[in-house]
């Protein structure tokens, strides 16, 4: 039988917003402004707006960043713009991980942003400059399913950068 990963919740406990295309990005950046912890997982990462926001947050005492990208994409030539950005985040105190999916050919393909263990963005958009021109669909969640997304994001971490 299929594995159920999201708990059944009452509608009053769950808040869901759907974003088409790039509208989610500004809302996510606004939600991050006063965050104390951000967890991200993405196939690739090189978005300049997220970079600026995360570097600002890393300059605040007590802020924590855990960012996981796909190991194979990181080690290949397809994501050359992300390496300097990830190294900059690491130098500023961020925790950067290289992850992968299951099996010998598994890729980390999830795209998730978790803010203070309360708000989750997930969907098809990578945290890249290029994703701004793609057709994307993202959701903003609040409520009990956030815990499940946090667990999934932690499972893909493999090794620190």
């Amino acid at each position: 039988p299929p594995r159920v990963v999201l708990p059944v919740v009452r509608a009053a406990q769950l808040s869901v917003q759907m974003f088409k295309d790039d509208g989610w990005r500004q809302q996510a950046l606004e939600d991050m402004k006063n965050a104390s912890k951000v967890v991200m997982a993405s196939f690739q990462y090189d978005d300049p707006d997220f970079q600026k926001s995360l570097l600002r947050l890393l300059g605040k005492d007590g802020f924590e960043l855990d960012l996981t990208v796909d190991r194979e994409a990181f080690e290949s030539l397809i994501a050359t713009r992300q390496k300097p950005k990830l190294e900059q985040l690491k130098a500023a105190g961020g925790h950067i991980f290289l992850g992968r999916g299951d099996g010998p050919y598994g890729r980390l393909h999830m795209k998730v942003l978790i803010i203070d263990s309360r708000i989750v963005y997930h969907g098809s958009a990578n945290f890249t400059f290029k994703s701004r021109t793609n057709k994307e669909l993202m959701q903003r969640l609040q409520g009990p399913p956030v815990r499940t997304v946090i667990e999934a994001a932690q499972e893909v971490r493999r090794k620190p950068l």
Side-chain angles (χ1 to χ4, degrees), residues 41-45 69-70 73 78 82 107-110 126:
S42 184
F43 180 70
Q44 294 180 38
Y45 169 87
V69 296
D70 182 72
I78 64 170
Q82 77 175 345
R107 303 294 292 263
L108 183 153
H109 203 257
M110 69 173 64
N126 282 299

Side-chain angles (χ1 to χ4, degrees), residues 84-101:
K85 288 187 174 6
L86 294 172
E87 289 167 357
Q88 187 179 28
L89 291 173
K90 181 180 176 184
H95 304 171
I96 311 300
F97 299 92
L98 303 179
R100 55 177 284 209

Side-chain angles (χ1 to χ4, degrees), residues 53-135:
S53 181
L54 291 170
L55 287 170
R56 182 187 60 79
L57 288 165
L58 284 163
K60 292 175 23 180
D61 282 341
F63 177 76
E64 186 178 344
L65 169 66
D66 288 350
L67 194 159
T68 306
V69 296
D70 182 72
R71 180 197 60 180
E72 191 174 334
F74 179 83
E75 294 170 351
S76 75
L77 297 177
I78 64 170
T80 56
R81 290 191 307 224
Q82 77 175 345
K83 288 181 184 182
K85 288 187 174 6
L86 294 172
E87 289 167 357
Q88 187 179 28
L89 291 173
K90 181 180 176 184
H95 304 171
I96 311 300
F97 299 92
L98 303 179
R100 55 177 284 209
D102 296 328
Y105 304 108
R107 303 294 292 263
L108 183 153
H109 203 257
M110 69 173 64
K111 291 90 171 167
V112 65
L113 167 65
I114 305 163
I115 303 166
D116 290 334
S117 300
R118 296 179 309 104
I119 300 169
V120 166
Y121 286 85
H122 78 97
S124 61
N126 282 299
F127 298 95
T128 61
F129 185 76
K130 185 180 181 325
S131 74
R132 296 169 185 223
T133 61
N134 295 342
K135 289 291 185 187

